[in-house]
């Protein structure tokens, strides 16, 4: 790709998982994403996707598609046009063009009404008459974790602020590749999970996406707890925790067992990005 934001790498657009995605540098157009098919093959259709979650509000991306046989000289296959990605239709766009033989296919994006960057979760390429396969339905995280498991999985989550599609629900979906990001450049920020009823807890595991593109960073945070969602007390005082891809971008915080229904992370600093960021907020009894 012409550029990348954080760990949202171009490889995400060819991993067969519509929940992971590429995002270009922000506030800079045009941006492009190029796929190498390995050799020149007959193509005539591309299917572009964004994550299917409803949190990805409908948006239009203005883009064109070009092809090349040598990776140097590109010619247009589909000229610039505005394409609407809508969660009501799976956030999927199909672009048909005349049959041609190409090794490289490039999508160039010049505008996006939903976010100031190019965004694609899947770039699929098919022969002229090819139809995309049917995607399996997304799995739903369990609302009741097994005994001894993550008590926060599938539970309600809320936050003081969120950036675009990086919603608090991402921290309880059991997928470390999706994440919550708070409003940028506005600390402190907090993230709260409702466990449903007061339960004994003594360990929290926090994760960021494991991809190495998520460079090591330290987030300064504290842990608060509540039985009623109104009155909170400190469970673990403020400290800096280092998330490092070399160790799975995972941090474990242990504390004296306490009974709480609500657990809250209060984030006051992040050396890697000017916002609070958490991919998974796991809570355990022991």
């Amino acid at each position: 790709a012409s550029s990348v934001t954080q760990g949202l790498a171009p490889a995400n657009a060819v991993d067969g998982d519509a929940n992971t995605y590429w995002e270009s540098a922000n506030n800079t157009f045009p941006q492009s994403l190029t796929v190498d098919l390995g050799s020149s093959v007959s193509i005539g259709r591309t299917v572009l996707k964004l994550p299917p979650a409803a949190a990805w509000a409908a948006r239009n991306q203005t883009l064109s598609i070009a092809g090349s046989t040598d990776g140097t000289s590109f010619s247009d296959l589909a000229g610039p046009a505005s394409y609407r990605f809508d969660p009501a239709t799976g956030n999927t766009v199909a672009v048909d063009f005349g049959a041609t033989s190409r090794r490289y296919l490039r999508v160039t994006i010049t505008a996006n009404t939903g976010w100031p960057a190019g965004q694609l979760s899947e770039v699929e390429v098919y022969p002229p008459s090819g139809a995309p396969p049917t995607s399996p339905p997304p799995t739903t995280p369990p609302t009741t974790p097994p005994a001894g498991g993550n008590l926060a999985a599938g539970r309600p989550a809320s936050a003081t602020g969120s950036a675009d599609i990086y919603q608090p629900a991402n921290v309880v979906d059991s997928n470390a590749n999706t994440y919550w990001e708070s409003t940028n450049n506005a600390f402190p920020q907090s993230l709260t999970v409702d466990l449903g009823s007061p339960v004994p807890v003594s360990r929290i595991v926090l994760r960021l996406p494991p991809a190495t593109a998520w460079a090591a960073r330290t987030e300064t945070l504290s842990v608060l707890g509540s039985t009623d969602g109104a009155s909170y007390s400190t469970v673990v005082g403020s400290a800096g925790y280092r998330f490092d891809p070399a160790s799975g971008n995972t941090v474990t915080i242990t504390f004296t067992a306490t009974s709480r229904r609500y657990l809250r992370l209060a984030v006051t600093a992040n050396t890697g990005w000017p916002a609070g960021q958490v991919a998974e907020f796991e809570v355990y009894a022991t």
Side-chain angles (χ1 to χ4, degrees):
S2 52
S3 66
V4 174
T5 289
Q6 296 191 74
L8 307 176
N12 291 344
V14 291
D15 66 357
D17 181 359
N19 294 297
T20 65
Y21 63 99
W22 161 73
E23 182 175 299
S24 73
N26 287 197
N27 301 300
T28 305
F29 288 110
Q31 297 286 345
S32 65
L33 178 67
T34 304
V35 176
D36 177 1
L37 304 178
S39 62
S40 292
V41 292
S42 179
I43 59 175
R45 187 179 205 226
T46 185
V47 175
L48 307 176
K49 298 181 179 181
L50 287 180
W56 277 74
R59 64 200 64 200
N60 282 42
Q61 295 197 74
T62 301
L63 57 88
S64 59
I65 298 173
S68 172
T69 57
D70 59 9
T72 301
S73 177
F74 283 80
S75 58
D76 286 341
L77 301 178
S82 178
Y83 295 91
R84 185 168 180 79
F85 295 81
D86 193 323
T89 54
N91 266 342
T92 298
V93 164
V95 183
D96 292 286
F97 44 87
T100 183
S101 180
R102 295 290 191 275
R103 172 174 174 170
Y104 301 88
L105 186 135
R106 175 172 292 169
V107 181
T108 299
I109 301 174
T110 56
N112 182 346
T113 63
W115 195 252
Q119 296 173 311
L120 292 170
S121 68
E122 289 296 300
V123 176
E124 302 174 356
V125 183
Y126 297 92
S129 59
T134 301
S135 298
T139 57
T140 302
T143 56
T144 304
N150 174 17
L151 301 173
R155 300 303 308 171
S158 59
T160 48
S162 299
D164 194 48
I165 49 79
Y166 309 113
Q167 298 298 309
N170 290 343
V171 307
V172 291
D173 66 357
S174 301
N175 181 0
N177 293 300
T178 65
Y179 62 98
W180 163 72
E181 182 174 298
S182 74
T183 305
N184 286 198
N185 300 299
F187 286 113
Q189 296 285 343
S190 68
L191 177 68
T192 305
V193 174
D194 177 1
L195 303 178
S197 62
V199 292
V201 295
S202 63
R203 180 165 59 99
I204 289 173
V205 176
L206 305 177
R207 304 181 191 274
L208 287 180
T212 55
W214 275 72
R217 65 199 63 200
T218 298
E219 293 195 58
T220 302
L221 57 89
S222 57
V223 181
L224 308 174
S226 172
T227 56
D228 59 8
S231 176
Y232 283 81
S233 60
T234 300
V235 175
V236 179
S238 182
Y241 295 92
R242 183 170 176 79
F243 294 84
D244 193 325
S247 54
N249 266 342
T250 299
V251 163
T252 298
I253 305 173
T254 57
F255 45 90
T256 302
T258 182
S259 181
R260 295 290 188 271
R261 172 175 175 173
Y262 301 88
L263 283 176
R264 173 174 292 171
L265 299 179
V267 185
T268 57
N270 183 346
T271 62
W273 195 254
Q277 295 173 311
V278 176
E280 286 295 299
F281 185 172
E282 300 174 3
V283 181
Y284 297 91
T286 58

